[in-house]
């Protein structure tokens, strides 16, 4: 007699957000949990416990093989929650959700003015050609997709500012959403205080949520605010 087996669902969670929007810090916090394993497409920790990057980029580099590769990784890490974080994957949300309809996803929002400032003043190579106008357009592009993700109500939504203000409460909510223990939350937060587990220079700017007030002129802040009214309204809904 043939036995019918229920198809196993992959325990995978995608982190969606804008570049310079807090995704790396959230990823680093989650990576520190004993029941969570990051998918980095073969990139592993170095001797000091740091990764060269937190981003797999697999839906950009190998879109046709992405699903199969992640499913295989999940099977090799049974009993663990797999997290994947590549901001650019946010723009591939519909494809990812088609591949993984049961994924428990997380959206992290950040003040759009702060994101523009972080792009504009970043010393990372990826943002070396970003001026204020280009940064504004980038934020618009990502928030357009994030708005749809949020409206679909299939993801847990947090803000970088709230995570920074009350890390224990906000991070515990994320762990509860992922159905993993929050027993060691204090140790995890301590291990990631003012740093991430990524060795890329400029990946984390010491957790200052309103540094744009000092970095930008009043005229620049006004320009950005006027250009991102819709995006700022979306962000304010989740503060």
């Amino acid at each position: 007699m043939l036995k019918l087996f229920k198809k196993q669902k992959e325990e995978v969670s995608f982190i969606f957000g804008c570049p310079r929007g807090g995704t790396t810090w959230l990823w680093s916090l989650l990576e520190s949990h004993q029941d969570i394993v990051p998918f980095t497409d073969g990139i592993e920790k170095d001797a000091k416990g740091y990764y060269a990057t937190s981003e797999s980029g697999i839906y950009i580099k190998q879109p046709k093989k992405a699903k199969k590769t992640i499913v295989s990784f999940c099977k090799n890490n049974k009993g663990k929650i797999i997290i994947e974080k590549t901001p650019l994957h946010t723009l591939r949300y519909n494809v990812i959700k088609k591949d993984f309809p049961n994924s428990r996803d997380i959206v992290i929002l950040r003040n759009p003015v702060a994101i523009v400032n972080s792009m504009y003043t970043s010393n990372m190579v990826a943002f070396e050609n970003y001026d204020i106008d280009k940064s504004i357009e980038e934020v618009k592009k990502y928030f357009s997709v994030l708005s749809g993700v949020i409206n679909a109500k299939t993801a847990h939504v947090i803000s970088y500012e709230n995570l920074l203000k009350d890390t224990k409460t906000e991070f515990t909510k994320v762990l509860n959403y992922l159905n993993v223990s929050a027993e060691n939350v204090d140790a995890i937060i301590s291990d990631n205080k003012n740093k991430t587990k990524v060795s890329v220079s400029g990946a984390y700017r010491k957790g200052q949520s309103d540094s744009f007030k000092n970095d930008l002129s009043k005229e620049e802040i006004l320009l950005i605010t006027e250009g991102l009214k819709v995006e700022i309204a979306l962000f304010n809904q989740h503060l």
Side-chain angles (χ1 to χ4, degrees), residues 15 58 154 179 205 230:
I15 299 172
I58 194 164
T154 59
N179 291 327
R205 296 183 67 199
V230 173

Side-chain angles (χ1 to χ4, degrees), residues 2 50 57 84-85 107 123 157 178 219 238:
L2 293 175
Y50 289 89
E84 197 288 328
K85 191 279 288 188
V107 167
N123 61 6
V157 184
L178 295 176
E219 291 76 17
H238 297 277

Side-chain angles (χ1 to χ4, degrees), residues 27-54:
W27 175 91
S28 191
L29 287 165
L30 289 168
E31 189 276 343
S32 299
H33 195 283
Q34 67 272 17
D35 295 325
I36 297 175
V37 177
F39 173 77
T40 54
D41 199 22
I43 297 172
E44 299 182 355
K45 290 181 181 180
D46 61 21
K48 295 182 178 180
Y50 289 89
Y51 295 82
T53 178
S54 56

